[in-house]
Amino acid sequence: MSAEIICVGTELLLGDILNSNSQYLAQQLAQLGIPHYYQTVVGDNPERLKQVIEIAISRAQILIFTGGLGPTPDDLTCETIADFFGVPLIEDPEIIEDITEKFAQRGRVMSPTNRKQALIPQGADILPNPTGTAPGIIWQPRPEITIFTFPGVPSEMHRMWTDTAVPYLKNQGWGQEIIYSRSLRFWGIGESALAEKVAPYFNLPNPTVAPYAGKGEVRLRISAKADSETAAEALISPVEKQLKDIAGLDYYGADDQTLAAVVGNLLRLSGETLSVAESCTGGGLGQMLTDISGSSDYFWGGVISYDNSVKVGLLGVNPEDLDKFGAVSATVAEQMAMGVKTRLSTSWGLSVTGIAGPSGGTETKPVGLVYIGLASPTNEVTSFEYRFGGMRGRSLIRYVSANAALDLLRRKLVVRNS
Amino acid sequence: MSAEIICVGTELLLGDILNSNSQYLAQQLAQLGIPHYYQTVVGDNPERLKQVIEIAISRAQILIFTGGLGPTPDDLTCETIADFFGVPLIEDPEIIEDITEKFAQRGRVMSPTNRKQALIPQGADILPNPTGTAPGIIWQPRPEITIFTFPGVPSEMHRMWTDTAVPYLKNQGWGQEIIYSRSLRFWGIGESALAEKVAPYFNLPNPTVAPYAGKGEVRLRISAKADSETAAEALISPVEKQLKDIAGLDYYGADDQTLAAVVGNLLRLSGETLSVAESCTGGGLGQMLTDISGSSDYFWGGVISYDNSVKVGLLGVNPEDLDKFGAVSATVAEQMAMGVKTRLSTSWGLSVTGIAGPSGGTETKPVGLVYIGLASPTNEVTSFEYRFGGMRGRSLIRYVSANAALDLLRRKLVVRNS
């Protein structure tokens, strides 16, 4: 038994809109524990839609359609489905009444084209649309096939799914077994290196473990099938612990936790404050930190020292060292970190200076070379050199640089606290 | 002749990620005039993937795969395709060399699992991946079938598509009749207000004009169908001019031009420099400015004055005014702008202070209240009050605030130069 998602709409084939409905339905099906192996997108074309239905009923039993329920002539999902199963459409008086009333509420009269939305296959049930005019259907054209149709407007679809489809599916016995996932996040280790370390876990049957690469980071997704969230948690929890133990300091957080959030929590715990001095990230590090609501508890601010004059004037970097070592150097990174810490009177000072490219690289200092400086509460200053490689592009180099700075501070805080 | 998009990845079936690759490829196919009637999503499962290929080759001639090219065991797109067509995989020494070099650039050694990424079907051509380790292939396993594979990481896929797939397809004769679009960008006017001003243009047959609401901005997309870019340009150009004339100062740029880029060009033209003082944006304004390569010509840096002590200490804001008017006030915005301009010795100083929320709002100073200050080369200081509304959420309020600051400076520069 499995479900298939079929999104109907020429606007999807033209790339005019992003198919967020597939993602929503996929998440919902996973939560209900309904297996789902295929998603299809097809245009507003009856012949092609029929072919898609033919294929779908050969491999799935629950068919979920979105889109093509509107009042215009190109909306033909419902009539094409009825036609495929050889069942006539009939006008449903309840729907006519509902649409008439909705128009009246907005002080309008139902236009004749809207009558089309009241046509449903004989024997189908209405799937009410509380927030729009186009209702869907729940229909078993054959004993083994269940069809759901939804309009393409995401907000209407979500409401209809939650209000009607979920209770219906639970009533059919679904949702007894759910799929529950946790995503573990790692910084400072590549996908293949991490995969090698945790390779045996990829063969687990339940929970399953799978790696994927994100923007400069790697994630391991642990997914458990169980009859409740608590039971799923009990399956996930020991594996999560083992994976964290194997990864050690390379693990930094789970699910929606960013490096900035993790660092923020650690600083709040220790009652310490942070300031930043940014060159190549140009404010991006500060932005990440202040993305977190409440970050004013520990983040005091910083200096964007894009021009060397600002490094000297506002951060107290030694002009001779700037000349001698260059702005992208360990020495300057350290002086920036110490400078911002001192001037802003914070516990920690964190700095980034590098070559984000695409221009500005040299043989000895290529694009992607970045120095991160860290000044500690006891005024120890350290710096680290990173080579992110020019091929990543300016935007990603800047993103990875800011995160590498956060990761460096995170490791210091974790090691000190442990 | 048509193309089919096949996205491979269990993470798509679980709803873990949004399928933006389909939208990108759909737009690209439309631009090249390549018909495309179906999109399919399937998990990392060889048997199901083979079924999808079987169906796809019965109805399309160009098969475009994304996802499943990584180094881990669940990445099996390439080997499954080869297996389907009964062709062996061979290790390509060029790819091994390329991956080894990319690892070396980052100071790492290629791990054995990455060797897998060098396996391609015998007879297939490499589709180089300049920004990642997983290359794709271009392959004609049968005379009438062309296969492209791409990694699932969007940035890598986009680059590979543009650099290699597009020239290849154009060489095959595609892209003779093209759809060519220009997106005009507007700041400071709502979608419905702009739509009313330009309503007659929505009925044009070629080029067509359609409005889109973006993140805090409105766009008008002008799309022309023609047999060359020059012919399309000739259709678009007069309409573009008329729309710009109607919109006046609310128009700021086209296509990929950001407000930061437009402001940067204006500053470069006038040989002036800029510094920023940021409170609620926390570095986001600086980041936008430095997203532009070469911004060091006019952007010198700034101060992230998240905590009030930094406003006083580094920007010279009067502590009594801070007490009297609060950090989110016209007075403080003006002192921040003047302070950063003076301390960094730039032509212009631009400041942002506001309440990004979700907490921190009051009756008189609600979430979304933002003041922007601007200090001019002649030391005139002005400030403007914005009310972006609490419902937009922290992240969007910060984004809109930084852009509103850039827009304010843009208008000053345009008016002065005209």
Side-chain angles (χ1 to χ4, degrees), chain A residues 25 56 86 103 187-188 206 210 295-296 299 307 347-348 351 364 375 397 402:
Chain A
L25 289 168
F103 272 88
W187 192 273
N206 190 24
S295 49
S296 55
F299 178 67
D307 194 75
S347 323
W348 295 89
S351 71
T364 49
I397 288 174

Side-chain angles (χ1 to χ4, degrees), chain A residues 355-387:
Chain A
I355 301 161
S359 58
T362 64
E363 187 96 350
T364 49
K365 295 195 175 178
V367 171
L369 176 69
V370 174
Y371 290 90
I372 291 172
L374 181 63
S376 81
T378 55
N379 292 329
E380 284 169 281
V381 200
T382 46
S383 63
F384 291 83
E385 181 188 295
Y386 298 79
R387 288 173 186 265

